[in-house]
Amino acid sequence: MSPSVPSDLGYVPPDGGWGWAVVFGASISVGFAYTFPKAFTIYFKELQAVYSISYSQIAWITSIMCATTYGGGPISSILVNRYGSRPVVIFGGLLCGIGMVSAAFCTSILQLYICVGFITGFGLALNLQPSVIIIGKYFLKRRPIANGLAMAGSPVMLCTLAPLNQFLFDNFGWRGSFLILGAILLNCCVAGALFRPIGPATASVKTQMAEEGKGALKEEVTEDAMEMSSPTNVPMENKTEEEGGKDCCEKINQYLDFSLFKHRGFLIYLIGNVLMFLGFFAPIVFLAPYAKHIGIDEYSAAFLLSILAIVDMIARPTTGIIANSKWVRPRIQYFFSFSIAFNGTCHLLCPLASGYTGLVVYSIFFGLAFGMVCAMLFETLMDLVGAARFTSAVGLVTIAECCTILLGPPIGGTLIDTFGDYKYMFIKCGAVMVLAGTFLFIMNYYNYRMLAKEEKERKDHAGVGTRQGEMQYSSKTFN
Amino acid sequence: MPAAFSGNRLRLLLCLSLSFSLSGGSPADPTMTTQDVNKSQANFLTKMQAGLNESSPEHMMATQTVNQQTQGSPSDHLTLGHNISRPGVSGTSVEKNITLDRGTRIELSCRLDNKYSHLKSLQVTWKRGNETVRHINKTETSWSIQLRISDNSKLGSYSCTVKGEEEISAIFHLQVPKIEGKEKPIVSYEGDTAVMICKSFGYTPIAWTWYMTNGSEQIAINDTLLANKYVIHRISANVTHMKILKLTKEDNGVYWCEAAFELGKSKGKLKLKVLSFMVPLKPFLAIVAEVVILVTIIFLYEMYSKKKEKSAEAEKEFDQIEQLKSEESNGLENSSARHRKI
């Protein structure tokens, strides 16, 4: 899709102005959603001791949190379709805060599962999806940059949350830390407040007046404006008011667009991404243990992750800028598949890295590849399905990815335990990602060709149509 | 340090390799290697080898010892090198820590590296403190002693001193296993439960005892007497837990966990800090206030900018209506003109 093709939103996104404040808010939300489970692991040891449980039982907390964050995607999408991004994010922030504050008073591990796992996880889900959705509403021409900047919130937040968590734990113990973390998560409400609603309702008033001022024929002007704006505007709220009796399927479709499953681009994205996530997160989880396994001390192993985060932080906005350039944007799907395959190749080469310098080089390339993929993760989906249907698309994609995201690290762990060697885990992750990248590359090549064909057919039909329309028009005036 | 070099002075490089071996009951052969030891002792040995790689602050002590002894001698600079036992580290360290938890026989030997086997007239003494150990087993290149460690009094630092043209010594520290406490204080709250854990790495203690500090005294904690306050649990052979229930401010302070081994006792230190709930509440309220203020500012700014937009649009609308009216009149004329033309 070239940037010159108009959006299907029914209005022209501002591509700047208040949009940058929205990007800032989105980066905070996205940052919390992705990094909170990771930063939470600092409390594991203490909680294990207090409740006398094993590591796998305590690790369920973050698994439940991740599962709820991704699984809550469709619910998030439905709510955004109904109410818009802002109320959903504010509500999500409140939920996170309530979840963590109640966790501070928990007396059993089950209560922790509910408070930290479900409630906070669901709150984070209500933060993640709407933040990504609203970027599509505010940006079109500069959307890749906006996406890259918003996703850059994740490594920035990781670099701040991890030491902050350690500081809180040392000074306030785990109960006090949960209380204060609850307050910190309330900052998601601030991010939500920045998400000023925008849509064709606010924009169409302006277009109407502009058309009135243009002045073709007097009566037809206002009538034409009304007729043109209603079919192209696809706000779901208006539809409920206009059409009364609809059957069940249409009603569900209105909240969550299941017709996306017939969309070729969406299916390609879904299959490719679901495959990719099998090998996406496992290397990060096992990087530090692998480093310790080959004899590197704990602090240097932790430093590897810091290198990864810093390179990631720089890579995401840079990828956004590159993806926005006029050479890459029309072929952004190829760039995405290339970055996935690049990521996979890094993992395949990791077992060859010997010693600390080898691992540092691996961390740098891994950070680069990871940032590239993450920055374009949602941008490519928006590119394929369009900003209007993106709301439902993101919900459906996250719940499908949920399974593989959760399966990835345990499968890697099983491989490590069975073979006693980390290299098979890296080979598995690398192979899966190279496969996913190649699949996406081939299928997107096919998709681009089909899109070009359909575009050509549409133009031919439109050409015929306009000629017919012209004849009608002249006949009208002659009356 | 008066390190003056002259061209003719000899710089002697002595390479000492320290080794030791364990024997079961038979008299030790000085050349016996670890392969001759039976399995359990071999495991013990590998654990020791692992333990020997730890870097100790006694590096400094070693050089100090060496310096003290060489102060009187006429030589200048001595460099000591290690080979086998500490790969890659050359220089000052000539100490080794050996951890023992139960009675055993041990052989300590000081061996000269093959490079220096040409050196003659070397006198070796083994000492423990001021006491000299007799019965040194001598070979071409090594001097060793056999010890039977049966109780705490036999533990300590054994040193072998090689006197040739210079004097060099190496020290073996025989000690009980160390218990690690926690450096950072454990933070807990009034009315809550605190859990303290002590672990012994690799060695199984016979018994664990917990002490609390009252002023400068250490008082043993009797958990059967105060069962509703203290609960002591031995989770596994090497780990002990102590739970302190219903915490109050008085429970603040230092606690010790003591592991009793056959050859002695070892302590670990833990600190407990009990806070009231007001302490985290203040930052919590501060952050909540910050959130509320920011959200209010954002909403107020939005209302303000909407008002500005509305008034600007009202003006625009007015202008456009005027324009439309004028164009309408023009348009009417045009369409009527078209009609007339057709």
Side-chain angles (χ1 to χ4, degrees):
Chain A
M1 238 169 84
S2 62
S4 55
V5 175
S7 79
D8 53 347
L9 284 167
Y11 65 95
V12 179
D15 268 312
W18 188 250
W20 298 117
V22 170
V23 166
F24 177 68
S27 65
I28 295 177
S29 269
V30 165
F32 275 125
Y34 279 127
T35 58
F36 194 71
K38 289 183 211 158
F40 190 77
T41 53
I42 290 178
Y43 300 106
F44 278 6
K45 247 187 163 176
E46 178 75 7
L47 289 171
Q48 258 187 281
V50 170
Y51 290 115
S52 311
I53 46 176
S54 67
Y55 179 77
S56 54
Q57 280 179 292
I58 199 92
W60 270 105
I61 294 183
T62 38
S63 303
I64 294 176
M65 208 196 292
C66 279
T68 331
T69 308
Y70 286 105
I75 304 175
S76 212
S77 299
I78 294 172
L79 289 172
V80 172
N81 270 335
R82 186 85 176 77
Y83 300 107
S85 285
R86 178 186 259 173
V88 179
V89 177
I90 293 183
F91 179 62
L94 283 171
L95 259 190
C96 288
I98 293 171
M100 286 311 288
V101 169
S102 46
F105 297 100
C106 277
T107 50
S108 80
I109 190 72
L110 188 65
Q111 291 174 0
L112 270 180
Y113 286 157
I114 297 173
C115 292
V116 182
F118 281 115
I119 300 181
T120 313
F122 188 59
L124 290 175
L126 293 179
N127 264 309
L128 177 62
Q129 265 83 356
S131 314
V132 182
I133 289 168
I134 199 156
I135 291 180
K137 293 198 179 149
Y138 266 89
F139 287 90
L140 179 61
K141 286 202 204 125
R142 296 206 199 132
R143 204 171 56 196
I145 298 181
N147 263 314
L149 282 170
M151 300 300 277
S154 176
V156 169
M157 199 58 79
L158 186 64
C159 285
T160 37
L161 258 188
L164 180 71
N165 264 350
Q166 189 65 49
F167 169 78
L168 285 176
F169 179 61
D170 288 340
N171 285 302
F172 297 105
W174 66 273
R175 284 194 199 270
S177 305
F178 283 5
L179 191 68
I180 297 177
L181 275 176
I184 291 176
L185 281 173
L186 280 178
N187 278 302
C188 292
C189 294
V190 177
L194 289 169
F195 294 165
R196 237 185 248 179
I198 187 169
T202 48
S204 65
V205 178
K206 296 181 184 170
T207 49
Q208 268 193 5
M209 297 204 293
E211 276 156 26
E212 278 173 11
K214 272 192 191 132
L217 294 175
K218 11 145 193 90
E219 304 99 20
E220 310 227 90
V221 168
T222 40
E223 283 173 321
D224 284 344
M226 290 295 279
E227 281 167 13
M228 267 169 36
S229 53
S230 33
T232 50
N233 290 350
V234 200
M236 302 300 183
E237 305 97 67
N238 289 353
K239 269 197 177 163
T240 40
E241 292 164 86
E242 289 163 34
E243 292 148 49
K246 294 201 302 189
D247 70 327
C248 178
C249 285
E250 281 191 34
K251 247 191 179 151
I252 296 178
N253 254 7
Q254 158 197 318
Y255 288 116
L256 198 63
D257 196 358
F258 281 105
S259 68
L260 278 166
F261 283 109
K262 292 190 215 145
H263 191 284
R264 188 179 49 241
F266 177 75
L267 284 174
I268 295 173
Y269 181 86
L270 188 64
I271 298 173
N273 273 42
V274 162
L275 193 60
M276 171 190 76
F277 274 113
L278 261 182
F280 197 51
F281 286 116
I284 301 182
V285 173
F286 292 111
L287 182 60
Y290 175 58
K292 284 185 220 165
H293 176 80
I294 63 174
I296 298 174
D297 65 283
E298 218 175 284
Y299 288 109
S300 310
F303 188 59
L304 284 174
L305 286 171
S306 310
I307 297 175
L308 213 156
I310 294 171
V311 175
D312 190 9
M313 218 189 294
I314 306 170
R316 291 192 196 201
T318 321
T319 315
I321 295 173
I322 296 174
N324 203 41
S325 63
K326 64 176 198 273
W327 301 285
V328 180
R329 184 113 191 247
R331 301 174 199 98
I332 198 171
Q333 304 295 332
Y334 294 144
F335 190 41
F336 185 52
S337 346
F338 162 72
S339 37
I340 297 178
F342 174 52
N343 207 343
T345 330
C346 281
H347 297 323
L348 286 174
L349 294 176
C350 178
L352 299 173
S354 55
Y356 191 58
T357 7
L359 277 184
V360 169
V361 172
Y362 168 71
S363 298
I364 293 175
F365 278 106
F366 183 20
L368 185 67
F370 191 75
M372 282 167 77
V373 173
C374 282
M376 285 194 286
L377 204 56
F378 293 113
E379 171 59 31
T380 40
L381 183 58
M382 275 189 220
D383 185 67
L384 283 166
V385 304
R389 298 170 89 184
F390 179 72
T391 319
S392 314
V394 72
L396 295 170
V397 157
T398 45
I399 199 172
E401 288 168 358
C402 180
C403 311
T404 44
I405 289 177
L406 288 175
L407 282 176
I411 293 181
T414 331
L415 277 173
I416 295 172
D417 290 336
T418 329
F419 293 103
D421 195 352
Y422 282 81
K423 72 170 183 205
Y424 293 104
M425 187 269 304
F426 282 111
I427 291 175
K428 158 238 167 194
C429 294
V432 160
M433 292 193 75
V434 170
L435 186 68
T438 329
F439 170 79
L440 280 172
F441 193 87
I442 297 172
M443 294 309 288
N444 274 307
Y445 173 69
Y446 165 70
N447 190 35
Y448 274 142
R449 278 185 57 187
M450 296 297 289
L451 280 174
K453 225 197 258 179
E454 283 164 17
E455 180 84 11
K456 226 181 120 213
E457 283 169 22
R458 201 164 50 81
K459 278 197 177 139
D460 292 338
H461 277 198
V464 172
T466 43
R467 271 180 255 126
Q468 288 180 342
E470 278 175 10
M471 286 164 61
Q472 283 180 0
Y473 166 77
S474 40
S475 61
K476 248 191 196 171
T477 42
F478 292 146
N479 287 344
Chain B
M1 206 165 108
F5 286 88
S6 85
N8 291 335
R9 297 275 183 107
L10 188 66
R11 250 171 141 231
L12 185 65
L13 259 171
L14 257 188
C15 206
L16 282 185
S17 88
L18 307 174
S19 69
F20 65 91
S21 58
L22 292 177
S23 59
S26 51
D29 188 340
T31 50
M32 182 161 47
T33 55
T34 55
Q35 289 154 346
D36 296 332
V37 192
N38 63 28
K39 243 193 190 172
S40 58
Q41 286 172 334
N43 288 341
F44 191 43
L45 192 67
T46 42
K47 279 184 214 159
M48 293 236 217
Q49 293 282 38
L52 291 169
N53 283 332
E54 55 196 359
S55 58
S56 50
E58 288 134 284
H59 274 231
M60 300 300 285
M61 228 165 71
T63 42
Q64 282 170 10
T65 342
V66 172
N67 285 342
Q68 275 167 11
Q69 287 178 330
T70 55
Q71 237 169 26
S73 58
S75 69
D76 45 339
H77 220 62
L78 271 179
T79 321
L80 291 168
H82 267 264
N83 46 7
I84 313 163
S85 42
R86 282 193 212 224
V89 174
S90 64
T92 53
S93 161
V94 276
E95 295 203 8
K96 236 172 200 167
N97 287 327
I98 300 168
T99 320
L100 299 168
D101 71 332
R102 59 178 77 109
T104 178
R105 271 189 180 195
I106 185 169
E107 180 185 344
L108 305 170
S109 66
C110 269
R111 205 189 323 142
L112 265 186
D113 198 42
N114 290 327
K115 287 194 259 179
Y116 305 103
S117 50
H118 63 279
L119 296 165
K120 303 279 187 253
S121 65
L122 288 168
Q123 215 192 1
V124 178
T125 34
W126 276 95
K127 270 193 183 167
R128 191 193 126 181
N130 288 327
E131 225 180 273
T132 316
V133 179
R134 306 172 192 282
H135 308 293
I136 301 178
N137 297 338
K138 239 193 286 187
T139 64
E140 277 272 329
T141 52
S142 76
W143 296 261
S144 59
I145 52 168
Q146 279 178 16
L147 301 163
R148 187 204 242 127
I149 314 287
S150 53
D151 58 63
N152 200 18
S153 57
K154 296 268 167 39
L155 295 171
S157 302
Y158 291 84
S159 61
C160 86
T161 319
V162 179
K163 269 194 208 138
E165 281 157 20
E166 282 82 14
E167 211 177 274
I168 301 162
S169 68
I171 311 178
F172 293 93
H173 294 287
L174 272 67
Q175 42 192 220
V176 283
K178 286 217 171 82
I179 305 292
E180 264 178 41
K182 244 181 131 187
E183 276 161 34
K184 290 188 197 159
I186 299 171
V187 180
S188 197
Y189 291 92
E190 289 169 358
D192 197 12
T193 312
V195 178
M196 306 189 133
I197 307 173
C198 260
K199 279 191 206 151
S200 156
F201 294 103
Y203 304 98
T204 307
I206 303 169
W208 287 98
T209 325
W210 284 90
Y211 293 91
M212 68 170 173
T213 327
N214 193 352
S216 53
E217 276 175 27
Q218 286 183 7
I219 307 169
I221 296 175
N222 191 341
D223 60 330
T224 43
L225 205 60
L226 303 155
N228 56 347
K229 180 78 176 169
Y230 300 100
V231 177
I232 299 180
H233 232 337
R234 191 162 176 174
I235 303 286
S236 69
N238 292 357
V239 183
T240 179
H241 271 209
M242 177 169 76
K243 269 198 185 139
I244 311 181
L245 311 164
K246 299 192 204 101
L247 287 168
T248 60
K249 276 259 153 82
E250 284 92 45
D251 293 316
N252 241 327
V254 176
Y255 290 80
W256 300 88
C257 66
E258 186 186 72
F261 296 98
E262 204 183 288
L263 291 175
K265 294 186 180 172
S266 178
K267 276 200 186 142
K269 186 176 172 186
L270 296 122
K271 276 185 259 181
L272 180 65
K273 224 163 116 178
V274 180
L275 302 170
S276 88
F277 227 75
M278 290 296 131
V279 177
L281 202 62
K282 287 187 219 138
F284 172 76
L285 291 173
I287 300 176
V288 170
E290 167 246 326
V291 168
V292 169
I293 292 172
L294 280 176
V295 172
T296 323
I297 292 176
I298 292 172
F299 277 124
L300 285 174
Y301 177 71
E302 191 172 321
M303 286 191 335
Y304 167 73
S305 46
K306 262 196 186 149
K307 271 192 197 157
K308 263 179 86 176
E309 246 181 63
K310 270 193 186 155
S311 54
E313 276 178 14
E315 279 184 35
K316 246 192 181 173
E317 208 180 292
F318 186 66
D319 292 335
Q320 283 181 344
I321 288 174
E322 295 283 300
Q323 223 190 2
L324 192 65
K325 279 188 186 159
S326 57
E327 285 190 14
E328 265 183 37
S329 45
N330 288 344
L332 267 168
E333 290 172 16
N334 284 344
S335 59
S336 49
R338 254 185 269 129
H339 277 282
R340 269 182 264 127
K341 276 184 186 168
I342 290 158

